[in-house]
Structure formats: structure tokens, C-alpha cells
Amino acid sequence: MTSPDMLDDVTQTGIDAGTVTVTAANGMITTATQGPDPRFGMQSPLTTALSVATPGGGPSLSMTKTRSAVLGTPGDPFSVQTLTDTTTIAGRTTTSVFDAATMTTQTTSPAGRIANMTVDTRGRPVLRQMGGLNALNIGYDARGRIATLTQGAG
């Protein structure tokens, strides 16, 4: 691979059973492991582990992710009732739960802060709320463009 400055960026790439390891020219090593999505399997893999190590024992980063799904009809990947993602980065866990009945995703941060986002049938956000703050309501015109943003009583 070549970086924007036209210098070689990657010196080595390895692929082994769903794990890709890339060693950059500067010695940084990135390892990503793919795993199956609970609905679609490896037809739609997700990154279940990622690590980045800097050369010489410098700072590093690690991430793990799990996904679970509750289906209304077993075996039908499109009958999702809830979809839960749990992501841990550097030992701190964030959880996102999508509820298909309300089309709402609730995300809980490592600090316990809660954010909610509701989407319409086209997947566009129509409501966004952070903690105890007033919700932001988003309206669209007939062409799908944002037409209104309303927060609070106004």
C-alpha cells in the first residue's frame, strides 16, 4: 500500500483464519479479528477484536466487540426484535441496544451516561436525546431533507 505522500506504508500483511495483521513501515502493528454476525454469519462479519501496538513497547490499544440478536422468527435474520452490541476499549465498556418495536437505540457509556436515538422507517434519525437534556426532534421535507430541528418546548 502507498500512503498519500507516495511512500510505502505497509511492509507486511498476514491473513490467518479471520485475523488480519498489518505491520506498517514505522513498526506499528494492527491486528483485527473478524467474527460472525449473529444474523448473517460470516456473510456479514464484524470486527470482534482489534489491537494496535506501537513500536518499542509504546502505548497500545485493544478493543473487543460482541453482538447478540433476538429474532422474532428463528432463522429469519430480518425479524430482529433487539440487537445488542457490547464494545470494550481499553477496559471500558459501551453497550448499545436497538429495539425494533420503537426503532430506538439506547447507548450506555462506560461512565453510565445514556443516549437515545430514534430512527424512522428510512433509517433517518428523528429524535436524539442525551441524558436528561431536552430531546432534539428532527423533521424532514418531502424530498428527505432536514426541514426542522426542535429542542425543548420551542
Side-chain angles (χ1 to χ4, degrees):
M1 292 174 45
T2 304
S3 61
D5 61 6
M6 302 305 290
L7 298 174
D8 286 339
D9 191 29
V10 177
T11 58
Q12 181 181 8
T13 303
I15 301 174
D16 181 34
T19 299
V20 176
T21 302
V22 176
T23 304
N26 67 0
M28 187 170 295
I29 300 170
T30 303
T31 303
T33 302
Q34 300 290 304
D37 179 89
R39 300 161 299 160
F40 303 106
M42 289 303 283
Q43 292 176 349
S44 180
L46 65 131
T47 300
T48 57
L50 178 72
S51 67
V52 179
T54 56
S60 63
L61 175 72
S62 64
M63 182 276 303
T64 60
K65 182 173 188 168
T66 61
R67 177 174 289 162
S68 62
V70 175
L71 304 176
T73 305
D76 179 2
F78 300 106
S79 67
V80 171
Q81 292 180 335
T82 61
L83 189 64
T84 304
D85 283 349
T86 303
T87 306
T88 302
I89 300 174
R92 300 172 54 92
T93 301
T94 298
T95 303
S96 294
V97 179
F98 172 72
D99 181 346
T102 62
M103 299 291 285
T104 299
T105 300
Q106 183 176 75
T107 302
T108 305
S109 75
R113 294 184 183 96
I114 296 174
N116 292 298
M117 182 176 67
T118 302
V119 298
D120 63 14
T121 56
R122 294 183 178 178
R124 302 175 300 193
V126 293
L127 181 136
R128 184 80 170 130
Q129 184 172 20
M130 305 292 285
L133 299 175
N134 289 327
L136 174 66
N137 295 287
I138 306 165
Y140 298 88
D141 65 16
R143 294 174 64 184
R145 300 174 298 189
I146 294 176
T148 59
L149 295 171
T150 309
Q151 188 168 15

